[in-house]
Amino acid sequence: MSGSATSCEECLLISPSCAWCAQEEFGRARTLTSRCDLSQNLQKRGCEAHNIESPSSTTMVVKSEPLSSKGSGPTQYDVIQIMPQKISLSLRPGDQTSFEVQVRQVEDYPVDLYYLMDLSLSMKDDLDTIRNLGTKLADEMRKLTSNFRLGFGSFVDKNMSPFSYTATKYQDNPCNGYKLFPNCVPSFGFRHLLSLTDKVDRFNEEVQKQMVSRNRDAPEGGFDAILQAAVCKERIGWRKEAFHLLVFATDDVPHLALDGKLGGLVQPHDGECHMNEKNEYSGSTKMDYPSLALLGEKLAENNIYLIFAVTKRLYVIYKNFTALIPGTTVEILDQDSKNIIQLIVNAYNNIRSKVELTVWDQPEDLSLSFTATCQDGQPLPGLRKCADLKIGDTVSFTVSVDARGCPAPGTQQRFTIKPVGFKDRLEVSVDYRCDCGCTDWTQANSSRCSSIGQYTCGTCRCDPGYLGARCECQEGEAGSMYLSACREAEGKQICGGRGECSCNQCLCYESEFGKIYGTFCECDDFSCARHKGILCSGHGECHCGECKCHAGYIGDNCNCSTDTSSCVSDDGKICSGRGSCACGHCQCTEPGAFGDTCEKCPTCPDACGTKRECIECRLFDSGRLSDNQTCQRLCKDEIITVETLKTEDPNAVLCLYKTENECVMKFMYSEHANGMSVLTALKEPECGAAPDAMTVLLAVVGSILLVGIVLLAIWKLVITVHDRREFARFQSARCRARYEMVRRMTNLFITFRTKHVLNKSHNKSHGLFVQ
């Protein structure tokens, strides 16, 4: 692309790597455009280093006072929460430079809190609840800061049709004929009742005096009141050296810009303070309601954090508002405002736990990118916000700045970097390095240029009608000796068919599509890749057929953003840790993961664990997220509670976990076709019923008796078996003894009988012998 540059300034605009050789004797035999090249190439070709023009971007810290550690006390007016405070940048187009910004939320910083309450009829029970709010709120807030002031204001709606009752019978009492509450005051737009003060008893006194009113339609005129409370700084009493909180309590939706046309109000809101001597908003029936953009601008301009305290049914609506109004948060208000003190304390802690940078008055030709380094020390490209911080923590942001072009010579730009809700700011001044130093020695009608041209940076700028390296030719001269120098190669068309050859140079044709340029008219600024019909997607410049992307974009047609902020999930991770960010969109790599930030994944291993924390904090106000006040921010899923859990749904995942009380909590996790995550949970964890004391006693006694009886039975059985065995032995022995006696007697008898027989036989024989 360097071949298209015919001057030092053009060369520097091509690329931050390009350099220009201003040496007079350089490249006499070559074309003029050869002077633009990489610095090292120019030196290799004989250009001395001191003749090379290649400026670079620089950063200079002008003011950098150290960060403070405490907000109250004798030094409260010198508190510094951002460092540095002033920086000067000198930018060469395309040459990115960066600097670091540190931010610290100091301890014990003064707090101004203005309580803005909806006094429409539906808020009557809320008004009764807050009649002694001042003292209780001050006691709680003084645990967080030693310097606290409280103010009070109220609103209803524009006192005109169709927003309020305007018939004669309703002028003094809009509740006339309303049986439930027959008496109330006329409606009004905004009424400032108590300027910020440390005498909190006065807050209670003012609240005691108030009565509700009645408007006609459901929406309220709260945005009128917010804007007046923000811009009427002297009336409200906002201190410069204080943390500004504006609590907006309501139970209905607000009117927005253009709603005023229903009442014939066509004049847009001018964003100015319109308070009369009665401290009432005098422009209520003259101007339309303010837009969200105007509201956000004025809140940021006056360093005010807005806290929406709304009923549960309005949470989603006001949550969407917070995405459009920087520095706002939303909390759920009980129907009778009983939780208002804890709500304010929680919102304050939530606000003080995060730091977010905003940019004011950014010049159009500058690209800014941010990299946040929060408490874990890990750089997060594309982020300008840190969350889950403690008071006194210091976080840093790396800001990269790139100039896309050059404004008019001598132009200086300024922009401001400011943490949301802080008075502190970093002022950045910018000048541009678009000129070459060699232009300081420009010679008019120089003899080097045949006295008909201007010699500057080693080249001649010829007067109209003359051409050539030394202005030696007049336009229109042609000849065969010149034509060969106008062909890029032998056989190619003269000047690529897009120009005429004159005096050894190509004069390129004009084109309705853009500029044709180059040594041989080979380049143009309109033949680059397009995206949706837009050249270089609108995020780059076309140079000789190639898109030169602005900072923050890459790709052939510059349609791929390198910003990862759109890929950051609510838990602060890139694509929920389940994918990668490409061109500003998440590409989910975890099987089963989907959603804009891969946040939906019923089949992922960590799905139940992630949703468990939301069940704990949303249903039981416990767990890790409840402690950090981040439940509402991270847990946006719909939660349905049931008595009995049905587990037949094949598209849902059953999750179980054990609670601190050793009970089992069950819930089903599913994703609907509309993209909404739904958690169906039991109303209460399943726990084993506690046994009755008498039942336990009887069971223990019965068990002991049973065991005793069993042991006795076993003992009896053993004794019986033993006795029977002994008796059997006795019987056996007895039988053997009787048998032995009988045997002996029998043997004795037989012996006796035998002897008797023998004796008898002997006697007979002896007798016969005698005879």
Side-chain angles (χ1 to χ4, degrees), residues 765-771:
S765 300
H766 183 71
L768 290 175
F769 179 74
V770 172
Q771 290 176 358

Side-chain angles (χ1 to χ4, degrees), residues 203-229:
F203 180 91
N204 297 338
E205 293 171 5
E206 287 297 332
V207 174
Q208 297 283 353
K209 299 175 186 177
Q210 302 311 308
M211 290 183 63
V212 294
S213 181
R214 184 187 182 200
N215 59 325
R216 193 167 194 170
D217 58 353
E220 318 291 5
F223 280 9
D224 267 344
I226 291 174
L227 193 137
Q228 291 303 298

Side-chain angles (χ1 to χ4, degrees), residues 730-760:
F730 171 76
Q731 288 289 82
S732 177
R734 185 178 178 185
C735 289
R736 285 198 300 272
R738 184 180 296 172
Y739 171 77
E740 186 65 27
M741 183 178 68
V742 172
R743 187 180 65 78
R744 287 181 180 179
M745 291 182 64
T746 302
N747 290 340
L748 183 61
F749 175 76
I750 293 173
T751 303
F752 175 78
R753 182 70 180 170
T754 303
K755 286 183 179 181
H756 177 71
V757 174
L758 290 176
N759 288 336
K760 191 174 181 179

Side-chain angles (χ1 to χ4, degrees), residues 170-185:
Y170 295 125
Q171 286 183 356
D172 297 325
N173 180 14
C175 295
N176 188 6
Y178 188 62
K179 295 181 180 180
L180 295 178
F181 194 77
N183 296 305
C184 59
V185 298

